[in-house]
Amino acid sequence: MSLLLKKLDFTLDQYAALCSTIKKSKYQAVTVRDYLAGVQRDKYLIIMRHDVEEDACKALDMARVEHSYGIQATYYFRMKNKVYVPDIMDQIASYNHEIGYLYETLDKTKGDMEKAIMLFAVELAMLRERYDIKTACMHPLTEYDNKKIWEKCKLAKFNLLGDPYLSMDYNQMLFLSDSGRTWLVASSTLSPMVKVEHTSDLIDLINDGRHERICILTHPEIWSKNIVGFLGFYLLGLALNAGKRLLSVYRGLFKGS
């Protein structure tokens, strides 16, 4: 079984291989916080970002792999059961990873802007009781566009450096996401020139080193450490990914309407 798992993609074994490649490459792995603050001045950077949507335990597994290779990353946590788990988040923070806030307050308030901003303040304050939160990230592809709260107020009001979807210029970097267990190249200017289907392709791309700035977004719950977990999430992922793609298409069709 262990040999079979090593041949499958989106496993912790494959993620360890990716981290090993980054560690040996000319790139420096940085958090979103440090990138937005301008702390890192190296020419070649990889911004490591994780959206923890369903399971904090999975995030801890990934954080341990990164720590073993001396890599720091940003972990954005939703405020919900099984995700907001302070004991686990404390362990992740102890590895010098950044803890961030994955907000979805417009969804939680059914589109009520004033209540959404108030809820944002409450949830952020809860997180700040334990962590030095400097960046927040909207939870994308939900019923409401959660980043619209910033049309009514400013990130600076909450002493935040930024939101990756608003504060980073993805036309100036290669942005890859593992959404649906497929590597999606989301940078508009670079997409036609880059083909990444498997994690091994991403490893090759990093070894090639032609892109100075890379942002890697992962969702820890989809990275499996055993064959049972791999097969279970594969079947669930087929259904969820289909739904996300339909929602994305819908939003594209009605954008600006």
Side-chain angles (χ1 to χ4, degrees):
M1 282 295 187
S2 60
L3 290 176
L4 175 60
L5 194 64
K6 288 180 184 296
K7 295 181 180 180
L8 300 175
D9 205 351
F10 299 102
T11 65
L12 287 183
D13 283 337
Q14 283 281 37
Y15 193 70
L18 175 62
C19 289
S20 177
T21 299
I22 293 171
K23 182 65 176 179
K24 296 173 184 177
S25 74
K26 61 184 175 182
Y27 291 94
Q28 180 181 6
V30 301
T31 64
V32 175
R33 174 191 60 214
D34 287 348
Y35 180 77
L36 292 180
V39 172
Q40 309 298 336
R41 301 297 182 184
D42 287 24
K43 183 178 181 181
Y44 290 89
L45 297 177
I46 294 182
I47 303 158
M48 303 292 286
R49 169 188 152 198
H50 310 293
D51 287 2
V52 188
E53 298 181 349
E54 301 297 338
D55 191 343
C57 291
K58 293 279 193 174
L60 180 57
D61 290 337
M62 185 165 276
R64 284 171 172 159
V65 171
E66 290 166 334
H67 182 64
S68 70
Y69 289 97
I71 288 174
Q72 294 182 13
T74 298
Y75 285 80
Y76 289 111
F77 288 86
R78 296 172 74 187
M79 298 296 282
K80 60 171 286 186
N81 291 337
K82 293 187 67 177
V83 177
Y84 177 66
V85 185
D87 288 347
I88 293 176
M89 295 165 69
D90 286 351
Q91 292 182 65
I92 293 174
S94 74
Y95 297 141
N96 294 318
H97 296 307
E98 176 190 4
I99 303 297
Y101 171 31
L102 187 61
Y103 63 92
E104 50 192 333
T105 55
L106 266 179
D107 276 284
K108 290 182 175 180
T109 60
K110 304 299 182 184
D112 188 312
M113 187 68 72
E114 290 187 8
K115 289 182 178 179
I117 294 171
M118 291 174 60
L119 181 59
F120 184 96
V122 169
E123 293 187 341
L124 180 61
M126 288 177 60
L127 282 165
R128 280 179 166 163
E129 288 178 0
R130 304 178 75 95
Y131 315 106
D132 183 21
I133 307 295
K134 290 299 184 183
T135 67
C137 179
M138 73 156 183
H139 187 198
L141 295 180
T142 54
E143 183 178 357
Y144 295 89
D145 184 355
N146 288 287
K147 70 178 183 297
K148 284 187 176 294
I149 62 172
W150 306 120
E151 296 176 0
K152 299 296 183 180
C153 63
K154 301 296 183 182
L155 285 154
K157 174 183 177 180
F158 296 99
N159 192 28
L160 291 167
L161 291 171
D163 175 323
Y165 285 111
L166 295 171
S167 309
M168 293 168 60
D169 184 357
Y170 293 107
N171 289 319
Q172 302 301 316
M173 67 181 69
L174 182 62
F175 179 34
L176 300 112
S177 169
D178 67 353
S179 183
R181 267 188 174 156
T182 58
W183 284 109
L184 301 175
V185 181
S187 177
S188 59
T189 58
L190 298 173
S191 297
M193 299 180 287
V194 178
K195 301 297 181 185
V196 179
E197 295 183 4
H198 307 288
T199 304
S200 58
D201 298 326
L202 178 53
I203 288 172
D204 290 342
L205 183 144
I206 292 169
N207 282 326
D208 179 70
R210 72 179 62 184
H211 301 286
E212 294 183 4
R213 297 284 190 270
I214 301 174
C215 180
I216 298 176
L217 166 61
T218 77
H219 302 79
E221 63 267 17
I222 77 171
W223 292 78
S224 306
K225 60 181 177 181
N226 57 55
I227 191 66
V228 174
F230 180 91
L231 292 175
F233 195 89
Y234 176 77
L235 295 174
L236 178 62
L238 289 177
L240 292 178
N241 195 44
K244 283 187 175 183
R245 289 182 184 278
L246 284 173
L247 181 56
S248 181
V249 170
Y250 175 85
R251 285 184 172 171
L253 288 173
F254 292 93
K255 184 178 181 181
S257 62

Coordinates of all heavy atoms in Angstrom, one line a residue, residues 44-128:
Y44 N 13.9 35.5 -6.0 CA 13.1 34.3 -6.3 C 12.3 33.9 -5.0 O 12.9 33.5 -4.1 CB 13.9 33.2 -6.8 CG 14.5 33.4 -8.2 CD1 15.7 34.0 -8.4 CD2 13.8 33.0 -9.3 CE1 16.2 34.3 -9.6 CE2 14.3 33.3 -10.6 CZ 15.5 33.9 -10.8 OH 16.0 34.1 -12.0
L45 N 11.0 34.1 -5.1 CA 10.1 33.8 -3.9 C 9.0 32.8 -4.3 O 8.4 32.9 -5.4 CB 9.5 35.1 -3.4 CG 10.4 36.2 -2.9 CD1 9.6 37.4 -2.5 CD2 11.2 35.7 -1.7
I46 N 8.6 32.0 -3.3 CA 7.4 31.2 -3.4 C 6.6 31.5 -2.2 O 7.0 31.3 -1.1 CB 7.7 29.7 -3.5 CG1 8.5 29.3 -4.8 CG2 6.5 28.8 -3.4 CD1 8.8 27.8 -4.9
I47 N 5.4 32.0 -2.5 CA 4.5 32.4 -1.4 C 3.6 31.1 -1.1 O 2.9 30.6 -2.0 CB 3.6 33.5 -1.8 CG1 4.4 34.7 -2.2 CG2 2.6 33.9 -0.7 CD1 3.7 35.7 -3.0
M48 N 3.7 30.6 0.1 CA 3.1 29.4 0.5 C 1.8 29.7 1.3 O 1.9 30.3 2.4 CB 4.0 28.5 1.4 CG 5.3 28.1 0.7 SD 5.1 27.0 -0.7 CE 4.8 25.5 0.2
R49 N 0.6 29.3 0.7 CA -0.6 29.7 1.3 C -1.5 28.5 1.4 O -1.6 27.7 0.4 CB -1.3 30.8 0.5 CG -2.8 31.0 0.9 CD -3.4 32.0 -0.1 NE -4.9 31.7 -0.2 CZ -5.7 32.2 -1.2 NH1 -5.1 32.9 -2.2 NH2 -6.9 31.9 -1.2
H50 N -2.2 28.3 2.5 CA -3.1 27.2 2.7 C -4.5 27.7 3.2 O -4.5 28.4 4.2 CB -2.6 26.1 3.7 CG -1.2 25.7 3.4 ND1 -0.8 25.0 2.3 CD2 0.0 25.9 4.1 CE1 0.5 24.7 2.3 NE2 1.0 25.3 3.4
D51 N -5.6 27.3 2.5 CA -6.9 27.6 3.0 C -7.5 26.4 3.7 O -7.7 25.3 3.1 CB -7.8 27.9 1.8 CG -7.6 29.3 1.2 OD1 -6.6 30.0 1.7 OD2 -8.3 29.7 0.3
V52 N -7.6 26.5 5.1 CA -8.1 25.4 5.9 C -9.6 25.5 6.0 O -10.2 26.3 6.7 CB -7.5 25.4 7.3 CG1 -7.8 24.1 8.0 CG2 -6.0 25.5 7.2
E53 N -10.3 24.7 5.1 CA -11.7 24.8 5.0 C -12.5 23.8 5.8 O -13.7 24.1 6.2 CB -12.1 24.7 3.5 CG -11.5 25.8 2.6 CD -11.9 25.7 1.2 OE1 -12.5 24.7 0.8 OE2 -11.6 26.7 0.4
E54 N -12.0 22.6 6.0 CA -12.8 21.6 6.6 C -12.2 20.9 7.8 O -12.9 20.4 8.7 CB -13.1 20.5 5.5 CG -13.9 21.0 4.3 CD -15.2 21.6 4.7 OE1 -15.8 21.2 5.7 OE2 -15.7 22.4 3.9
D55 N -10.9 20.8 7.9 CA -10.3 19.9 8.9 C -8.9 20.4 9.4 O -7.9 20.4 8.6 CB -10.1 18.5 8.3 CG -9.7 17.4 9.3 OD1 -9.3 17.8 10.4 OD2 -9.9 16.2 9.0
A56 N -8.8 20.9 10.6 CA -7.6 21.4 11.1 C -6.5 20.4 11.3 O -5.3 20.6 11.2 CB -7.9 22.1 12.5
C57 N -6.9 19.1 11.5 CA -6.0 18.0 11.7 C -5.2 17.8 10.4 O -3.9 17.6 10.5 CB -6.7 16.7 12.1 SG -7.4 16.7 13.7
K58 N -5.8 18.0 9.3 CA -5.1 17.8 8.0 C -4.1 19.0 7.8 O -3.0 18.8 7.3 CB -6.1 17.9 6.9 CG -7.0 16.7 6.8 CD -6.3 15.5 6.1 CE -7.3 14.4 5.8 NZ -6.6 13.3 5.0
A59 N -4.4 20.1 8.3 CA -3.5 21.3 8.2 C -2.3 21.0 9.1 O -1.2 21.4 8.7 CB -4.2 22.6 8.7
L60 N -2.5 20.4 10.2 CA -1.3 20.1 11.1 C -0.4 19.1 10.5 O 0.8 19.2 10.6 CB -1.8 19.6 12.5 CG -0.8 19.2 13.5 CD1 0.1 20.4 13.8 CD2 -1.4 18.7 14.8
D61 N -1.0 18.1 9.8 CA -0.1 17.2 9.0 C 0.8 17.9 8.0 O 2.0 17.6 7.9 CB -1.0 16.1 8.3 CG -1.7 15.2 9.2 OD1 -1.2 15.0 10.4 OD2 -2.7 14.6 8.8
M62 N 0.2 18.8 7.3 CA 0.9 19.5 6.3 C 2.0 20.5 6.9 O 3.1 20.6 6.4 CB -0.1 20.3 5.4 CG 0.6 21.0 4.2 SD -0.7 21.6 3.0 CE -0.9 20.1 2.1
A63 N 1.6 21.1 8.0 CA 2.5 22.0 8.7 C 3.7 21.3 9.2 O 4.8 21.9 9.2 CB 1.7 22.7 9.8
R64 N 3.5 20.1 9.7 CA 4.7 19.3 10.2 C 5.6 19.0 9.0 O 6.8 19.0 9.2 CB 4.1 18.0 10.9 CG 3.6 18.3 12.2 CD 2.9 17.0 12.8 NE 2.5 17.2 14.2 CZ 1.6 16.5 14.8 NH1 0.9 15.6 14.1 NH2 1.3 16.7 16.1
V65 N 5.1 18.6 7.9 CA 5.9 18.3 6.7 C 6.8 19.6 6.4 O 8.0 19.5 6.2 CB 5.1 17.9 5.5 CG1 5.9 17.8 4.3 CG2 4.4 16.6 5.8
E66 N 6.1 20.7 6.3 CA 6.8 22.0 6.0 C 7.9 22.3 7.0 O 9.0 22.6 6.7 CB 5.8 23.1 5.9 CG 4.9 23.0 4.7 CD 3.7 24.0 4.8 OE1 3.3 24.3 5.9 OE2 3.2 24.3 3.7
H67 N 7.5 22.1 8.3 CA 8.5 22.4 9.3 C 9.7 21.5 9.2 O 10.9 22.0 9.5 CB 7.8 22.2 10.7 CG 8.7 22.6 11.9 ND1 9.2 23.8 12.1 CD2 9.2 21.8 12.9 CE1 9.9 23.8 13.2 NE2 9.9 22.6 13.7
S68 N 9.5 20.3 8.8 CA 10.7 19.4 8.7 C 11.7 19.8 7.7 O 12.8 19.4 7.7 CB 10.2 18.0 8.4 OG 9.7 17.8 7.1
Y69 N 11.2 20.7 6.7 CA 12.1 21.2 5.7 C 12.4 22.7 5.9 O 13.0 23.3 5.0 CB 11.4 21.0 4.3 CG 11.4 19.6 3.8 CD1 10.3 18.8 4.0 CD2 12.5 19.0 3.3 CE1 10.2 17.5 3.6 CE2 12.5 17.7 2.9 CZ 11.3 16.9 3.1 OH 11.3 15.6 2.7
G70 N 12.1 23.2 7.1 CA 12.4 24.6 7.4 C 11.6 25.6 6.5 O 12.1 26.7 6.3
I71 N 10.4 25.2 6.1 CA 9.5 26.1 5.3 C 8.4 26.7 6.1 O 7.8 26.1 6.9 CB 8.9 25.3 4.1 CG1 10.0 24.9 3.1 CG2 7.8 26.1 3.5 CD1 9.5 24.0 2.0
Q72 N 8.2 28.1 6.0 CA 7.2 28.8 6.7 C 6.0 29.1 5.7 O 6.3 29.4 4.5 CB 7.7 30.1 7.3 CG 8.7 29.9 8.4 CD 9.1 31.2 9.0 OE1 8.5 32.2 8.8 NE2 10.2 31.1 9.8
A73 N 4.8 29.0 6.1 CA 3.6 29.1 5.3 C 2.5 29.9 6.0 O 2.6 30.1 7.2 CB 3.1 27.8 4.8
T74 N 1.5 30.3 5.3 CA 0.3 30.9 5.8 C -0.8 30.0 5.8 O -1.1 29.4 4.8 CB 0.0 32.2 5.0 OG1 1.1 33.1 5.1 CG2 -1.3 32.8 5.6
Y75 N -1.5 29.9 7.0 CA -2.7 29.0 7.1 C -3.9 29.9 7.5 O -3.9 30.5 8.5 CB -2.5 28.0 8.2 CG -1.5 26.8 7.8 CD1 -0.2 27.0 7.8 CD2 -2.1 25.6 7.4 CE1 0.7 26.0 7.4 CE2 -1.2 24.6 7.0 CZ 0.2 24.8 7.0 OH 1.0 23.8 6.6
Y76 N -4.9 29.9 6.5 CA -6.1 30.7 6.8 C -7.2 29.7 7.3 O -7.5 28.7 6.6 CB -6.5 31.3 5.5 CG -5.7 32.5 5.0 CD1 -4.9 32.4 3.9 CD2 -5.7 33.7 5.8 CE1 -4.1 33.5 3.5 CE2 -4.8 34.7 5.4 CZ -4.1 34.6 4.3 OH -3.2 35.7 3.9
F77 N -7.7 30.0 8.4 CA -8.7 29.2 9.1 C -10.1 29.8 9.1 O -10.3 31.0 9.4 CB -8.3 28.9 10.6 CG -7.1 28.0 10.7 CD1 -5.9 28.6 10.7 CD2 -7.3 26.7 11.0 CE1 -4.7 27.7 10.9 CE2 -6.2 25.8 11.1 CZ -4.9 26.4 11.1
R78 N -11.1 29.0 8.7 CA -12.5 29.3 8.8 C -12.9 29.3 10.3 O -12.3 28.5 11.1 CB -13.4 28.4 8.0 CG -13.2 28.4 6.5 CD -14.0 27.3 5.8 NE -15.4 27.6 5.8 CZ -16.3 26.7 5.4 NH1 -15.9 25.5 5.0 NH2 -17.6 27.0 5.3
M79 N -13.9 30.0 10.7 CA -14.4 30.0 12.0 C -15.6 29.0 12.1 O -16.8 29.4 12.0 CB -14.8 31.4 12.5 CG -13.6 32.4 12.5 SD -12.3 31.9 13.7 CE -13.1 32.5 15.2
K80 N -15.3 27.7 12.1 CA -16.3 26.7 12.2 C -15.8 25.5 12.9 O -14.6 25.3 13.1 CB -16.8 26.4 10.8 CG -15.7 25.8 9.8 CD -16.3 25.3 8.5 CE -17.0 24.0 8.7 NZ -17.4 23.3 7.5
N81 N -16.7 24.6 13.2 CA -16.3 23.4 13.9 C -15.3 22.6 13.1 O -15.4 22.5 11.8 CB -17.5 22.5 14.2 CG -18.4 23.1 15.3 OD1 -17.9 23.9 16.1 ND2 -19.7 22.8 15.3
K82 N -14.4 21.9 13.7 CA -13.3 21.1 13.1 C -12.2 21.9 12.4 O -11.2 21.3 12.0 CB -13.9 20.0 12.2 CG -14.8 19.0 12.8 CD -15.1 17.9 11.8 CE -13.9 17.1 11.3 NZ -14.3 16.0 10.4
V83 N -12.5 23.2 12.2 CA -11.5 24.1 11.6 C -10.9 25.0 12.7 O -9.6 25.0 12.9 CB -12.0 24.9 10.5 CG1 -11.0 25.8 9.9 CG2 -12.6 23.9 9.4
Y84 N -11.7 25.7 13.4 CA -11.2 26.6 14.5 C -11.0 25.7 15.7 O -11.9 25.5 16.5 CB -12.2 27.7 14.8 CG -11.8 28.5 16.0 CD1 -10.7 29.3 15.9 CD2 -12.5 28.6 17.1 CE1 -10.3 30.1 16.9 CE2 -12.1 29.3 18.2 CZ -11.0 30.1 18.1 OH -10.6 30.9 19.2
V85 N -9.8 25.1 15.8 CA -9.4 24.2 16.9 C -8.2 24.8 17.5 O -7.1 24.5 17.0 CB -9.2 22.8 16.4 CG1 -8.9 21.9 17.6 CG2 -10.4 22.3 15.6
P86 N -8.3 25.6 18.5 CA -7.1 26.3 19.0 C -5.9 25.5 19.4 O -4.8 25.9 19.1 CB -7.7 27.1 20.3 CG -9.1 27.3 19.9 CD -9.5 26.1 19.2
D87 N -6.1 24.3 20.0 CA -5.0 23.4 20.3 C -4.2 23.1 19.1 O -2.9 23.1 19.2 CB -5.5 22.2 21.0 CG -6.0 22.4 22.5 OD1 -5.7 23.5 23.0 OD2 -6.6 21.5 23.0
I88 N -4.8 22.7 18.0 CA -4.1 22.4 16.8 C -3.5 23.6 16.2 O -2.4 23.6 15.7 CB -5.1 21.7 15.8 CG1 -5.5 20.3 16.3 CG2 -4.5 21.6 14.4 CD1 -6.5 19.6 15.5
M89 N -4.2 24.7 16.2 CA -3.7 26.0 15.6 C -2.5 26.4 16.4 O -1.6 27.0 15.8 CB -4.8 27.0 15.6 CG -6.0 26.7 14.7 SD -7.5 27.6 14.9 CE -7.0 29.3 14.3
D90 N -2.5 26.2 17.7 CA -1.3 26.6 18.5 C -0.1 25.8 18.0 O 1.0 26.4 18.0 CB -1.6 26.3 20.0 CG -2.6 27.3 20.6 OD1 -2.9 28.3 20.0 OD2 -3.0 27.0 21.8
Q91 N -0.3 24.5 17.8 CA 0.8 23.7 17.3 C 1.4 24.2 16.0 O 2.6 24.3 15.8 CB 0.4 22.2 17.2 CG 0.1 21.6 18.5 CD -0.3 20.1 18.3 OE1 0.5 19.3 17.9 NE2 -1.5 19.8 18.6
I92 N 0.4 24.6 15.1 CA 0.9 25.1 13.7 C 1.6 26.4 13.9 O 2.7 26.6 13.3 CB -0.4 25.3 12.8 CG1 -0.9 23.9 12.5 CG2 0.0 26.0 11.6 CD1 -2.2 23.9 11.7
A93 N 1.1 27.3 14.8 CA 1.8 28.6 15.1 C 3.2 28.3 15.7 O 4.1 29.1 15.4 CB 0.9 29.4 16.0
S94 N 3.3 27.3 16.5 CA 4.6 27.0 17.1 C 5.7 26.6 16.1 O 6.9 26.7 16.4 CB 4.5 25.9 18.1 OG 4.3 24.6 17.5
Y95 N 5.3 26.3 14.9 CA 6.3 26.0 13.8 C 6.6 27.3 13.0 O 7.2 27.2 12.0 CB 5.7 25.0 12.9 CG 5.4 23.6 13.5 CD1 4.3 22.9 13.1 CD2 6.3 23.0 14.4 CE1 4.0 21.6 13.6 CE2 6.1 21.8 14.9 CZ 4.9 21.1 14.5 OH 4.7 19.8 15.1
N96 N 6.2 28.4 13.6 CA 6.5 29.7 12.9 C 5.7 29.9 11.6 O 6.1 30.7 10.8 CB 8.0 29.9 12.7 CG 8.8 30.0 14.0 OD1 8.3 30.7 14.9 ND2 9.9 29.4 14.0
H97 N 4.6 29.2 11.5 CA 3.7 29.5 10.4 C 2.8 30.7 10.7 O 2.5 30.9 11.9 CB 2.8 28.3 10.1 CG 3.6 27.1 9.6 ND1 4.5 27.1 8.5 CD2 3.6 25.8 10.0 CE1 5.0 25.9 8.3 NE2 4.5 25.1 9.2
E98 N 2.3 31.4 9.7 CA 1.4 32.5 9.9 C 0.0 31.9 10.1 O -0.4 31.1 9.3 CB 1.4 33.5 8.8 CG 0.4 34.6 8.9 CD 0.3 35.4 7.6 OE1 0.9 35.1 6.6 OE2 -0.5 36.4 7.7
I99 N -0.7 32.4 11.1 CA -2.1 32.1 11.2 C -3.0 33.2 10.7 O -2.8 34.4 11.1 CB -2.5 31.8 12.7 CG1 -1.7 30.7 13.3 CG2 -4.0 31.5 12.8 CD1 -1.9 29.3 12.6
G100 N -3.9 33.0 9.7 CA -4.7 34.0 9.2 C -6.2 33.6 9.3 O -6.5 32.5 9.7
Y101 N -7.0 34.6 8.9 CA -8.5 34.5 9.0 C -9.1 34.3 7.7 O -9.0 35.1 6.8 CB -9.0 35.7 9.7 CG -10.4 35.9 9.8 CD1 -11.4 34.9 9.9 CD2 -11.0 37.2 9.8 CE1 -12.7 35.1 10.0 CE2 -12.3 37.5 9.9 CZ -13.2 36.4 10.0 OH -14.6 36.6 10.1
L102 N -9.8 33.1 7.5 CA -10.5 32.8 6.3 C -12.0 33.2 6.5 O -12.7 32.5 7.1 CB -10.4 31.4 5.9 CG -10.9 30.9 4.6 CD1 -10.2 31.6 3.4 CD2 -10.8 29.4 4.4
Y103 N -12.3 34.4 6.0 CA -13.6 35.0 6.4 C -14.7 34.7 5.4 O -14.4 34.6 4.2 CB -13.5 36.5 6.7 CG -13.1 37.3 5.5 CD1 -14.1 37.9 4.6 CD2 -11.8 37.5 5.2 CE1 -13.7 38.7 3.5 CE2 -11.4 38.3 4.1 CZ -12.3 38.9 3.3 OH -12.0 39.6 2.2
E104 N -15.9 34.5 5.8 CA -17.1 34.3 5.0 C -18.3 34.9 5.6 O -19.4 34.3 5.7 CB -17.3 32.8 4.8 CG -17.3 32.0 6.1 CD -17.2 30.5 5.9 OE1 -17.6 30.0 4.9 OE2 -16.6 29.8 6.8
T105 N -18.1 36.2 6.1 CA -19.2 36.8 6.9 C -20.4 37.2 6.1 O -21.5 37.3 6.6 CB -18.6 38.0 7.7 OG1 -18.0 38.9 6.8 CG2 -17.6 37.5 8.7
L106 N -20.2 37.5 4.8 CA -21.4 37.8 4.0 C -22.3 36.6 3.8 O -23.5 36.7 3.7 CB -21.0 38.4 2.6 CG -20.9 39.9 2.5 CD1 -20.5 40.3 1.1 CD2 -22.2 40.6 2.8
D107 N -21.6 35.4 3.7 CA -22.4 34.2 3.6 C -23.1 33.9 4.9 O -24.3 33.6 4.9 CB -21.4 33.0 3.3 CG -21.2 32.9 1.9 OD1 -22.0 32.4 1.1 OD2 -20.1 33.3 1.4
K108 N -22.5 34.1 6.0 CA -23.1 33.8 7.3 C -24.2 34.8 7.7 O -25.1 34.4 8.4 CB -22.0 33.9 8.4 CG -21.0 32.8 8.4 CD -20.0 32.9 9.6 CE -19.1 31.7 9.6 NZ -18.1 31.8 10.7
T109 N -24.2 36.0 7.1 CA -25.2 37.0 7.4 C -26.2 37.1 6.2 O -27.0 38.0 6.2 CB -24.6 38.3 7.7 OG1 -23.9 38.8 6.6 CG2 -23.7 38.3 8.9
K110 N -26.1 36.2 5.3 CA -27.0 36.1 4.1 C -27.0 37.4 3.3 O -28.1 37.9 2.9 CB -28.5 35.8 4.6 CG -28.6 34.5 5.3 CD -28.2 33.3 4.5 CE -28.4 32.0 5.3 NZ -27.9 30.8 4.5
G111 N -25.8 38.0 3.2 CA -25.7 39.2 2.4 C -25.9 40.5 3.1 O -25.8 41.6 2.4
D112 N -26.2 40.5 4.4 CA -26.4 41.8 5.1 C -25.0 42.4 5.4 O -24.2 41.9 6.2 CB -27.1 41.5 6.4 CG -27.5 42.7 7.2 OD1 -26.7 43.6 7.3 OD2 -28.7 42.8 7.6
M113 N -24.7 43.5 4.7 CA -23.4 44.1 4.7 C -23.0 44.6 6.1 O -21.9 44.3 6.6 CB -23.3 45.2 3.7 CG -21.9 45.8 3.5 SD -20.8 44.7 2.7 CE -21.4 44.7 1.0
E114 N -23.9 45.3 6.8 CA -23.5 45.8 8.1 C -23.3 44.7 9.1 O -22.3 44.7 9.9 CB -24.7 46.7 8.6 CG -24.8 48.0 7.8 CD -25.8 49.0 8.4 OE1 -26.3 48.7 9.5 OE2 -26.0 50.0 7.8
K115 N -24.1 43.7 9.1 CA -23.9 42.6 10.0 C -22.7 41.8 9.7 O -22.0 41.3 10.6 CB -25.1 41.6 10.0 CG -26.4 42.2 10.6 CD -27.6 41.2 10.6 CE -28.8 41.7 11.2 NZ -29.9 40.8 11.2
A116 N -22.4 41.7 8.4 CA -21.2 41.0 7.9 C -19.9 41.7 8.5 O -19.0 41.0 8.9 CB -21.1 40.9 6.4
I117 N -19.9 43.0 8.4 CA -18.7 43.7 8.9 C -18.6 43.6 10.4 O -17.5 43.4 11.0 CB -18.8 45.2 8.5 CG1 -18.7 45.3 6.9 CG2 -17.7 46.0 9.2 CD1 -19.0 46.7 6.4
M118 N -19.7 43.6 11.1 CA -19.7 43.5 12.6 C -19.2 42.1 12.9 O -18.4 41.9 13.9 CB -21.1 43.7 13.1 CG -21.6 45.2 13.0 SD -23.3 45.4 13.6 CE -23.2 44.8 15.3
L119 N -19.7 41.1 12.2 CA -19.3 39.7 12.5 C -17.8 39.5 12.2 O -17.1 38.8 12.9 CB -20.1 38.7 11.6 CG -19.8 37.2 11.8 CD1 -20.0 36.8 13.3 CD2 -20.7 36.4 10.9
F120 N -17.3 40.2 11.1 CA -15.9 40.1 10.8 C -15.1 40.6 12.0 O -14.1 40.0 12.4 CB -15.6 41.0 9.6 CG -14.2 40.9 9.1 CD1 -13.7 40.1 8.1 CD2 -13.2 41.7 9.7 CE1 -12.4 40.0 7.7 CE2 -11.9 41.7 9.3 CZ -11.5 40.8 8.3
A121 N -15.5 41.7 12.6 CA -14.8 42.3 13.7 C -14.8 41.3 14.9 O -13.8 41.2 15.6 CB -15.4 43.6 14.1
V122 N -15.9 40.7 15.2 CA -16.1 39.7 16.3 C -15.2 38.5 16.1 O -14.4 38.1 17.0 CB -17.5 39.3 16.5 CG1 -17.6 38.1 17.4 CG2 -18.4 40.5 16.9
E123 N -15.2 37.9 14.9 CA -14.4 36.7 14.6 C -12.9 37.0 14.6 O -12.1 36.2 15.1 CB -14.9 36.1 13.3 CG -16.3 35.5 13.4 CD -16.7 34.7 12.2 OE1 -16.0 34.8 11.1 OE2 -17.6 33.9 12.3
L124 N -12.6 38.2 14.1 CA -11.2 38.6 14.0 C -10.6 38.8 15.5 O -9.5 38.4 15.8 CB -11.0 39.8 13.2 CG -9.5 40.4 13.1 CD1 -8.6 39.4 12.4 CD2 -9.5 41.7 12.4
A125 N -11.5 39.4 16.3 CA -11.1 39.6 17.7 C -10.9 38.3 18.4 O -9.9 38.1 19.3 CB -12.1 40.4 18.4
M126 N -11.7 37.3 18.1 CA -11.6 36.0 18.7 C -10.2 35.4 18.4 O -9.5 34.8 19.2 CB -12.7 35.0 18.3 CG -14.0 35.3 18.9 SD -15.3 34.2 18.2 CE -14.7 32.6 18.7
L127 N -9.9 35.4 17.1 CA -8.6 34.9 16.7 C -7.4 35.7 17.3 O -6.4 35.1 17.7 CB -8.5 35.0 15.1 CG -9.2 33.9 14.3 CD1 -9.4 34.3 12.9 CD2 -8.6 32.6 14.5
R128 N -7.6 37.0 17.4 CA -6.5 37.8 17.9 C -6.2 37.6 19.4 O -5.3 38.1 20.0 CB -6.7 39.3 17.6 CG -6.3 39.6 16.1 CD -6.5 41.0 15.8 NE -5.8 41.3 14.5 CZ -6.1 42.4 13.8 NH1 -7.0 43.3 14.1 NH2 -5.4 42.6 12.6

